[in-house]
């Protein structure tokens, strides 16, 4: 390609636009191009609702946690009125980072020069000076932290950088109804495993949409009596959903109690939901797991899987032992297998002599994800051009 602009020529993606049986994968440069990464951040992650955690991570006023989405920091904090707020944890003075990781505070105090914000992000003090700042027309009300939209569903916290985006519940489509019986708001997260994987975020997102690889990469974990059979669940919303009766084998043979109120189909199998861009929800009879895959840089992706259970299950005397024996380790091993293949695929995509690949009939959701990506990126470029023209 002669210039950066060439990497956005629509003709380069004509093969991915074809129907599944005729289509080819995206070209490899899309997984290693800084221009594409920036376009995806602006066109996808800064436009869509992104799930970044659970409400029980911030139980009390002052509790907070911070995440990184493509270099954009977001802190979720519970304020004095017990409301959740999302803010950019970057000081309005000279940009020091205010909140890192997770913790609890009574006010947000900048480590650099002590500017202090309340738990809603309002600037309340500019201390440490021997006399007034002598800054003309300085109004603290105009120097609060940048607010980011936050809405919740089923105990999950979603944020959106786009003030024009539709409300979360509208955007989710049929998902709240599909997941209603699991009563997400009554669940508690008990364990999270997190990995930093040196691959582009799309490599991991596509792997999570790929049911074709399961019997090859993860075959040894499958119960022989229960073949891995995915049925597509048709529903409306920004997600793919499958149902299957496959369970990871339970070494102890003593399963935890089934979540109360599930339908017969819900008791007998697993619904796997992939909400765009990178949120996976696994609704199973005894536990709800969720996975997030957020890009930190072009070739570095933070992958986190969290297990949630009903309070009544967590209160069982043997809960910790059973969860530690049957639930956490197998899925963690499965993720480690995915991490390795993601590294290998990233390396393969970057080889200069690679020729483009074709899809199998089992990869409809990957083709549709790649087309969603193209739609979002090109729509954003069009918006930017229109704004420049005004
Ligand atoms: S950068 Fe925060 S007080 Fe100066
Ligand atoms: Fe996998």
């Amino acid at each position: 390609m002669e210039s950066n602009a060439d990497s956005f020529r629509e003709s380069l993606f004509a093969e991915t636009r074809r129907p599944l049986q005729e289509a080819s994968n995206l070209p490899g440069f899309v997984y290693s191009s800084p221009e594409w990464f920036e376009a995806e951040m602006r066109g996808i992650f800064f436009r869509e609702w992104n799930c970044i955690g659970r409400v029980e991570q911030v139980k009390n006023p002052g509790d907070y946690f911070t995440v990184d989405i493509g270099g954009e920091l977001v802190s979720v904090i519970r304020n004095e009125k017990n409301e959740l707020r999302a803010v950019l944890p970057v000081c309005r003075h000279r940009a020091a980072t205010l909140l890192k990781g997770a913790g609890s505070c009574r006010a947000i105090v900048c480590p650099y020069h002590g500017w202090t914000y309340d738990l809603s992000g309002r600037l309340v003090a500019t201390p440490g000076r021997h006399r007034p700042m002598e800054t003309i027309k300085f109004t603290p009300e105009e120097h609060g932290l940048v607010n980011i939209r936050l809405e919740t569903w089923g105990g999950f916290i979603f944020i959106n950088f786009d003030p024009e985006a539709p409300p979360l519940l509208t955007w989710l489509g049929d998902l709240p109804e599909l997941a209603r019986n699991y009563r997400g708001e009554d669940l508690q997260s008990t364990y999270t495993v997190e990995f930093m994987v040196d691959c582009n975020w799309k490599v991991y997102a596509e792997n999570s949409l790929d049911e074709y690889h399961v019997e090859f990469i993860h075959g040894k974990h499958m119960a022989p009596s229960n073949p891995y059979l995915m049925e597509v669940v048709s529903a409306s919303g920004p997600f793919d959903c499958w149902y299957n009766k496959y369970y990871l084998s339970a070494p102890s043979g003593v399963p935890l109690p089934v979540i109360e109120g599930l339908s017969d189909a819900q008791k007998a199998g697993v619904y796997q939901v992939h909400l765009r861009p990178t949120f996976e929800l696994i609704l199973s009879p005894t536990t709800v797991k969720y996975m997030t895959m957020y890009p930190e840089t072009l070739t570095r992706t933070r992958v986190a899987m969290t297990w949630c259970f009903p309070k009544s299950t967590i209160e069982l005397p043997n809960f910790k032992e059973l969860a530690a024996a049957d639930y956490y380790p197998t899925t963690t091993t499965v993720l480690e297998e995915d991490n390795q293949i993601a590294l290998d695929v990233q390396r393969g995509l970057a080889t200069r002599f690679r020729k483009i690949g074709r899809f199998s009939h089992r990869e409809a959701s990957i083709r549709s994800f790649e087309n969603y990506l193209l739609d979002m990126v090109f729509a954003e470029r069009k918006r930017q051009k229109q704004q420049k023209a005004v």
Side-chain angles (χ1 to χ4, degrees):
M1 251 159 295
E2 286 168 11
S3 73
N4 295 339
D6 285 349
S7 75
F8 291 96
R9 258 199 340 260
E10 296 223 26
S11 58
L12 291 170
F13 310 101
E15 299 302 315
T16 306
R17 291 300 202 183
R18 292 183 187 283
L20 179 63
Q21 287 176 314
E22 299 168 24
S24 298
N25 317 157
L26 284 174
F29 69 82
V30 171
Y31 298 79
S32 54
S33 150
E35 292 76 28
W36 266 85
F37 183 72
E38 183 60 21
E40 290 159 1
M41 289 304 109
R42 291 182 184 282
I44 297 175
F45 289 96
F46 301 162
R47 293 282 177 197
E48 301 279 50
W49 285 98
N50 298 288
C51 175
I52 58 169
R54 297 266 313 164
V55 294
E56 62 268 21
Q57 288 174 256
V58 276
K59 278 197 191 86
N60 302 307
D63 289 356
Y64 67 85
F65 65 85
T66 298
V67 298
D68 178 334
I69 301 181
E72 220 52 42
L73 297 176
V74 184
S75 290
V76 171
I77 188 159
R78 193 176 285 278
N79 72 9
E80 302 88 346
K81 292 185 189 156
N82 219 14
E83 300 158 334
L84 290 179
R85 289 268 183 268
V87 294
L88 185 74
V90 174
C91 187
R92 290 293 306 275
H93 176 218
R94 280 181 36 226
T97 303
L98 297 166
L99 298 169
K100 296 176 185 171
S104 191
C105 60
R106 289 172 49 192
I108 304 168
V109 182
C110 182
Y112 204 177
H113 313 96
W115 283 27
T116 302
Y117 305 84
D118 70 12
L119 299 178
S120 296
R122 286 181 290 254
L123 179 62
V124 290
T126 52
R129 62 186 193 272
H130 301 295
R131 53 183 189 168
M133 289 210 306
E134 297 179 3
T135 304
I136 296 169
K137 290 188 181 167
F138 180 80
T139 44
E141 303 77 52
E142 289 170 10
H143 290 262
L145 299 181
V146 172
N147 271 296
I148 297 161
R149 284 179 70 187
L150 178 153
E151 292 180 26
T152 64
W153 160 70
F156 294 101
I157 298 171
F158 287 77
I159 58 102
N160 198 316
F161 294 97
D162 181 3
E164 308 287 315
L168 174 64
L169 281 182
T170 307
W171 181 76
L172 286 172
D174 292 345
L175 183 55
E177 182 53 31
L178 198 142
R180 184 164 54 93
N181 290 351
Y182 297 87
R183 299 195 314 278
E185 57 285 354
D186 294 338
L187 303 176
Q188 295 279 313
S189 41
T190 56
Y191 182 71
T192 296
V193 59
E194 189 173 295
F195 300 98
M196 292 301 301
V197 186
D198 288 332
C199 69
N200 181 262
W201 69 276
K202 298 189 292 298
V203 171
Y204 221 96
E206 291 181 357
N207 180 69
S208 79
L209 285 162
D210 175 358
E211 58 93 8
Y212 188 10
H213 79 282
V214 174
E215 66 201 74
F216 300 99
I217 300 285
H218 312 303
K220 62 177 177 288
H221 310 294
M222 293 161 74
S225 58
N226 219 343
Y228 188 68
L229 289 173
M230 291 282 210
E231 287 166 32
V232 174
V233 176
S234 73
S236 145
F239 60 90
D240 291 282
C241 180
W242 295 298
Y243 175 73
N244 72 83
K245 293 192 173 171
Y246 158 67
Y247 294 97
L248 298 174
S249 42
S252 76
V254 187
L256 287 168
V258 168
I259 296 170
E260 270 180 46
L262 298 188
S263 69
D264 289 345
Q266 288 166 338
K267 284 181 199 162
V270 176
Y271 287 84
Q272 214 169 311
V273 178
H274 295 262
L275 186 64
R276 288 168 193 162
T278 57
F279 178 63
E280 182 177 342
L281 186 62
I282 301 165
L283 304 162
S284 57
T286 59
T287 181
V288 169
K289 288 184 286 189
Y290 73 95
M291 181 158 81
T292 54
M293 297 151 263
Y294 283 116
E296 289 212 345
T297 66
L298 171 60
T299 53
R300 197 163 161 78
T301 301
R302 181 169 27 85
V303 176
M305 172 77 84
T306 299
W307 282 256
C308 305
F309 293 90
K311 282 181 204 122
S312 55
T313 300
I314 297 169
E315 283 161 7
L316 291 172
N318 56 351
F319 168 74
K320 276 193 179 153
E321 293 75 46
L322 286 179
D326 291 347
Y327 286 76
Y328 310 145
T330 314
T331 307
T332 303
T333 307
V334 166
L335 287 175
E336 285 164 349
E337 290 161 357
D338 285 330
N339 296 349
Q340 185 55 52
I341 201 72
L343 296 180
D344 293 347
V345 169
Q346 180 72 32
R347 190 182 310 128
L349 287 166
T351 54
R352 293 170 187 79
F353 295 106
R354 170 178 175 258
K355 288 187 177 167
I356 227 87
R358 298 287 300 273
F359 291 110
S360 127
H361 72 97
R362 293 169 68 178
E363 294 169 304
S365 54
I366 301 178
R367 181 204 157 271
S368 110
F369 169 80
E370 293 189 355
N371 277 273
Y372 151 80
L373 181 104
L374 296 173
D375 291 344
M376 297 295 276
V377 164
F378 285 113
E380 183 66 22
R381 284 174 65 81
K382 202 169 157 191
R383 265 194 298 270
Q384 283 174 8
K385 269 189 201 148
Q386 282 165 349
Q387 276 167 6
K388 273 186 201 153
V390 172

